[in-house]
């Protein structure tokens, strides 16, 4: 279906008639034009079925268009979004799945379907072929992984408690939005990198859940503003990420944390296009500035422009405004109080179990348990 709004066909002056949108389109696609003065016909002003076999159509019934809700600006058939929509039926059929970011994609030209497709186009600089492939792979992954279910799962407190929070902040500096979603990743809360990151699938499921929680707070299903075309302005439906490295040693590289970082970056890059507006690395020692300089060399210019490195956490208020949590220089209350997090359970039991295991390892002469405080967490996305 074309995404262009249909325009009623105008008849001659003698037989001019008006048409209206129909909530339930007629099954036939032809109509007979009658004069508005002919009040004997109950279907005046609406496309109607032909009544004679072989009767030539005089007016094509317009396709269904919503009578309420947001409307996407008109686009012509050369527009990348129009071409992308034209391929959607085949993409959904091959993927056997139709949900992205909580939005059910369909072929009716719906506003929120266009919203999602526009994100994939922008992520691929309007390259329709690449956008189609990325959408297909994303749909297949979401069918397998079921990320929406991750948000409702219960996670181990011993592994994940205090590691991530999602907040909604007012008045973020230089933001086009009234409110923005800000996700805090607190890597200093990781007590044992091996215990937290060794089960890669378990960690990834938790990290995806935190991402999906942030996307839910964006409330895309209530979105009313179209996303501009690539290069024509910012996408208002993106979130801010804050990575806090307070009390983290950058001198050792834990292999489990490194593997988790690599996998998380891969997943977010491939399956979560256009979800990041800015990313802040806070409480990073000055001596580690070279590391972020090196990272910039392998990232795109657009991505690098979104990154900011801060030596002190309290400097974040100067970047995002006074409503950030207290530990970041604002007056928004403590992060633990204002931030929403994922469900966890078994903190005491799991913690005691871990302590007992570490004690046993110590008795067996295993020095790994004593090194956990020195192990370094990689820059996990």
């Amino acid at each position: 279906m074309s995404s262009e709004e249909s325009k009623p066909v105008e008849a001659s002056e003698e037989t001019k008639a008006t048409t209206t949108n129909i909530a339930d389109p007629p099954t036939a696609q032809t109509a007979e034009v009658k004069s508005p003065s002919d009040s004997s016909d109950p279907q005046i002003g609406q496309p109607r079925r032909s009544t004679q076999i072989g009767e030539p159509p005089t007016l094509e019934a317009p396709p269904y268009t919503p009578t309420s809700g947001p409307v996407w600006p008109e686009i012509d058939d050369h527009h990348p979004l129009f071409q992308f929509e034209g391929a959607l039926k085949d993409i959904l059929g091959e993927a056997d799945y139709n949900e992205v970011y909580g939005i059910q994609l369909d072929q009716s030209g719906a506003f929120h379907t266009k919203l999602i497709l526009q994100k994939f186009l922008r992520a691929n600089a309007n390259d329709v072929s690449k956008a189609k492939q990325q959408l297909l792979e994303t749909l297949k992954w979401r069918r397998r992984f079921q990320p929406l279910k991750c948000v409702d799962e219960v996670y181990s407190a011993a592994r994940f408690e205090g590691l991530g929070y999602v907040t909604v902040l007012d008045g973020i500096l230089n933001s086009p939005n009234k409110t923005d979603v800000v996700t805090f990743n607190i890597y200093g809360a990781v007590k044992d990198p091996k215990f937290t990151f060794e089960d890669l699938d378990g960690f990834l499921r938790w990290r995806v859940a935190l991402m999906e929680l942030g996307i839910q707070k964006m409330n895309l299903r209530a979105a009313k503003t179209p996303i501009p075309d690539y290069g024509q302005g910012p996408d208002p439906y993106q979130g801010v990420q804050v990575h806090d490295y307070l009390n983290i040693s950058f001198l050792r590289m834990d292999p489990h944390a490194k593997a988790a970082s690599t996998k998380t970056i891969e997943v977010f890059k491939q399956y979560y296009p256009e979800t990041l507006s800015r990313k802040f690395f806070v409480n990073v020692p000055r001596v580690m500035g070279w590391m972020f300089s090196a990272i910039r060399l392998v990232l795109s210019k657009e991505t690098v422009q979104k990154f900011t490195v801060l030596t002190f956490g309290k400097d974040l208020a100067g970047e995002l405004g006074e409503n950030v949590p207290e530990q970041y220089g604002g007056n928004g209350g403590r992060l633990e109080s204002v931030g929403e997090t994922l469900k966890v359970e078994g903190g005491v039991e799991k913690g005691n179990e871990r302590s007992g295991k570490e004690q046993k390892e110590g008795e067996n002469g295993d020095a790994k348990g004593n090194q956990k405080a020195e192990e370094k967490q990689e820059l996990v996305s």
Side-chain angles (χ1 to χ4, degrees), residues 294-306:
I295 291 175
R296 290 186 175 96
L297 297 177
V298 298
L299 297 174
S300 67
K301 179 181 178 181
E302 291 79 8
T303 300
V304 168
Q305 289 175 341
K306 297 180 178 182

Side-chain angles (χ1 to χ4, degrees), residues 248-288:
I248 294 296
S249 170
F250 284 83
L251 301 179
R252 306 182 71 120
M253 296 183 66
D254 178 74
H256 303 98
K258 183 176 181 180
S261 173
T262 300
K263 186 62 176 179
T264 303
I265 292 172
E266 174 187 322
V267 167
F268 286 175
K269 180 180 179 181
Q270 179 64 32
Y271 307 129
Y272 287 89
E274 290 294 293
T275 54
L276 177 69
S277 61
R278 299 181 69 185
K279 179 180 285 188
F280 294 88
F281 302 90
V282 304
N283 290 313
V284 177
R286 286 192 178 95
V287 295
M288 298 308 299

Side-chain angles (χ1 to χ4, degrees), residues 2 27 105 119 122 170 178 196 237 260 290 318 336 345 370:
S2 171
T27 55
L105 306 184
K119 282 183 172 289
R122 286 170 60 102
D170 297 329
K178 180 179 178 181
T196 298
Y237 309 109
W290 65 268
E336 299 81 2
E345 67 177 4
N370 298 325

